[in-house]
Amino acid sequence: MEKETMGAIMFVSFFSTIFFTLYYYFQARNKERMALIEAGLDLSQFYKKQVRISHWLRLGVFIVGIGIGLLIVGLISQYQTENIVGVLKVSIIVLCGGIAMIVANYVDKPKQDRD
């Protein structure tokens, strides 16, 4: 098969997979809600106010964590006489980013509990 034909097949199959996944998801959700209505149950659980999570706060704390990781790597590479392995540099940056995501979750948690 040619590259263009293979690319077209992959494109069509990718978007058809997304379409059918969404179609069956919404169909199942509609059937579930209709069954609850027919049973006479309360639907307020589906329509209650959603808690807004501050995505900008989480993103900001994550970026600060990455910055701290870059600072640590810069300081280590500047003051150490031997070179640092590239994997160690990346792992320090990723570790600081992960710690920042955990901190962002705990900072945002009291805000979610209040709402």
Side-chain angles (χ1 to χ4, degrees), residues 55-110:
H55 296 292
W56 289 109
L57 174 67
R58 288 185 179 181
L59 180 66
V61 173
F62 177 67
I63 290 173
V64 167
I66 295 292
I68 290 171
L70 288 170
L71 178 70
I72 291 170
V73 168
L75 290 174
I76 289 174
S77 62
Q78 182 178 3
Y79 291 114
Q80 190 173 14
T81 57
E82 300 168 6
N83 288 337
I84 303 175
V85 180
V87 175
L88 182 62
K89 292 178 183 179
V90 173
S91 65
I92 290 173
I93 294 169
V94 170
L95 181 67
C96 288
I99 291 170
M101 290 178 76
I102 293 170
V103 168
N105 188 32
Y106 282 115
V107 166
D108 202 27
K109 190 75 163 173

Side-chain angles (χ1 to χ4, degrees), residues 2 5-6 19 27-28 33-34 50 54-55 61 66 68 70-71 76 86 95 97-98 100 102 112:
E2 295 182 29
T5 307
M6 190 62 110
F19 172 77
Q27 184 181 17
R33 289 183 182 182
M34 290 304 289
Q50 297 290 329
S54 175
H55 296 292
V61 173
I66 295 292
I68 290 171
L70 288 170
L71 178 70
I76 289 174
L95 181 67
I102 293 170
Q112 292 175 6

